[in-house]
Amino acid sequence: MFRHQKELQFEAKPTQPDPTVAKYLQELIGGQYGEMSVAMQYLFQGWSCRGEAKYKDMILDIATEEIGHVEMLATMVARLLEDAPVEDQQAAMEQDPVVGAVIAGMNPQHAIVAGLGPRPADSVGNPWSGAYIISSGNLLADFRANLNAESQGRLQAARIYEMVDDPGVKDLLAVLLARDSYHQNQWAAAIKELEEQVGTILVPSDFPREKERKDIAYDFYNFSKGDESSQGAWAHGEALDGEGEYKWQAEPKAEGQAPDLKPVNPKMYGS
């Protein structure tokens, strides 16, 4: 059961309208790594979780917090669009080309489609897509995807923080950055715990290794000019999974036989 609580997790108001900043914040709402994506990703992971109860509970706790973050950002976008009528923007564009160039950064869908409200879309108007979310049913694989999502989301929030001057917007972003920091720590801690439980860093952890080509499982293929890639920890020494030694292959060779393709069906008119 979900219940809406009228108080926001954090209240913040901009000092003045700014439709351009509103456009920036749309990326944090409906972008690939925005709050809509992580909220839906965690919800579907939690709903399908068959692991220990603590994991399901943790996933859904974070998912529910992310729904609140969507509301916080959507509210901020609406406040940034308040008292910013289209007529004033058009007049400014006609009177001052410099001001016009700035205001031209507004997302016109904010006015045309949403009536000066937020949209479930990114900063250039692309609608949010369910294709952004990852829910594989494997906790280790999913938690790594979650760590990446929080990393990308925090990076984008930090960039926007440096792009804006409004103290109210910065206050909101400071909260979101802090929560993204915790979520990165939290997913990293859960990943470490799962790796210790299953005894490997590999996903899936229980796939029989004898079914794979173990003789090439630790080779680094040098497919570019030069040998700089040989200097990394991935090219020499014990593998992180503890089951092999990394080997740098300076000139990897092709294996197998060249394919012998039959003529295409004449109805396909191939050549």
Side-chain angles (χ1 to χ4, degrees):
M1 177 185 296
F2 288 90
R3 300 183 65 184
H4 179 250
Q5 185 169 313
K6 294 179 177 62
E7 296 84 5
L8 295 179
Q9 186 179 5
F10 179 77
E11 281 280 0
K13 295 182 179 180
T15 56
Q16 61 185 10
D18 194 326
T20 304
V21 174
K23 179 178 178 179
Y24 296 165
L25 294 185
Q26 282 289 159
E27 193 65 35
L28 303 184
I29 295 176
Q32 181 176 357
Y33 299 107
E35 303 290 356
M36 288 182 65
S37 292
V38 290
M40 294 302 292
Q41 181 157 307
Y42 302 164
L43 284 173
F44 276 88
Q45 289 177 4
W47 291 331
S48 66
C49 179
R50 292 171 175 79
E52 296 180 50
K54 67 176 181 179
Y55 292 121
K56 185 181 185 75
D57 199 31
M58 178 265 287
I59 298 168
L60 291 175
D61 279 342
I62 306 302
T64 306
E65 179 181 359
E66 303 294 8
I67 297 174
H69 291 178
V70 175
E71 183 178 18
M72 290 158 61
L73 283 163
T75 301
M76 177 60 78
V77 167
R79 288 171 174 171
L80 285 164
L81 294 171
E82 285 177 358
D83 301 321
V86 177
E87 292 83 356
D88 289 353
Q89 296 169 30
Q90 291 174 335
M93 291 174 70
E94 293 171 358
Q95 296 172 11
D96 188 335
V98 176
V99 174
V102 174
I103 292 181
M106 178 187 184
N107 182 349
Q109 288 189 332
H110 278 157
I112 300 169
V113 179
L116 299 181
R119 295 271 297 141
D122 67 14
S123 55
V124 293
N126 296 314
W128 180 83
S129 171
Y132 295 153
I133 73 170
I134 294 173
S135 179
S136 71
N138 182 289
L139 288 179
L140 183 52
D142 284 350
F143 288 179
R144 288 177 176 170
N146 297 349
L147 178 58
N148 173 64
E150 295 287 354
S151 301
Q152 297 289 346
R154 187 171 187 271
L155 175 62
Q156 293 177 357
R159 287 171 173 166
I160 295 176
Y161 186 96
E162 301 295 349
M163 294 166 66
V164 303
D165 297 319
D166 192 296
V169 177
K170 281 182 174 288
D171 284 346
L172 175 60
L173 292 173
V175 169
L176 296 176
L177 284 161
R179 296 310 297 160
D180 286 349
S181 296
Y182 169 69
H183 292 157
Q184 285 188 52
N185 277 281
Q186 165 235 320
W187 292 123
I191 289 168
K192 182 179 179 181
E193 183 175 288
L194 284 174
E195 289 175 347
E196 291 174 352
Q197 286 181 16
V198 301
T200 182
I201 65 171
L202 300 180
V203 178
S205 58
D206 52 356
F207 182 81
R209 297 298 304 274
E210 62 269 16
K211 291 187 177 181
E212 67 179 74
R213 283 278 305 279
K214 200 76 177 292
D215 61 310
I216 58 173
Y218 299 96
D219 289 358
F220 183 92
Y221 295 148
N222 180 38
F223 281 125
S224 57
K225 185 178 181 180
D227 60 2
E228 286 81 2
S229 61
S230 68
Q231 300 168 18
W234 52 82
H236 301 285
E238 183 180 2
L240 287 179
D241 64 11
E243 296 189 39
E245 292 280 333
Y246 296 133
K247 291 178 292 184
W248 189 74
Q249 301 291 356
E251 296 182 4
K253 296 179 174 56
E255 296 185 85
Q257 297 179 341
D260 183 15
L261 301 179
K262 297 179 180 179
V264 71
N265 186 317
K267 293 183 179 181
M268 294 297 100
Y269 304 103
S271 59

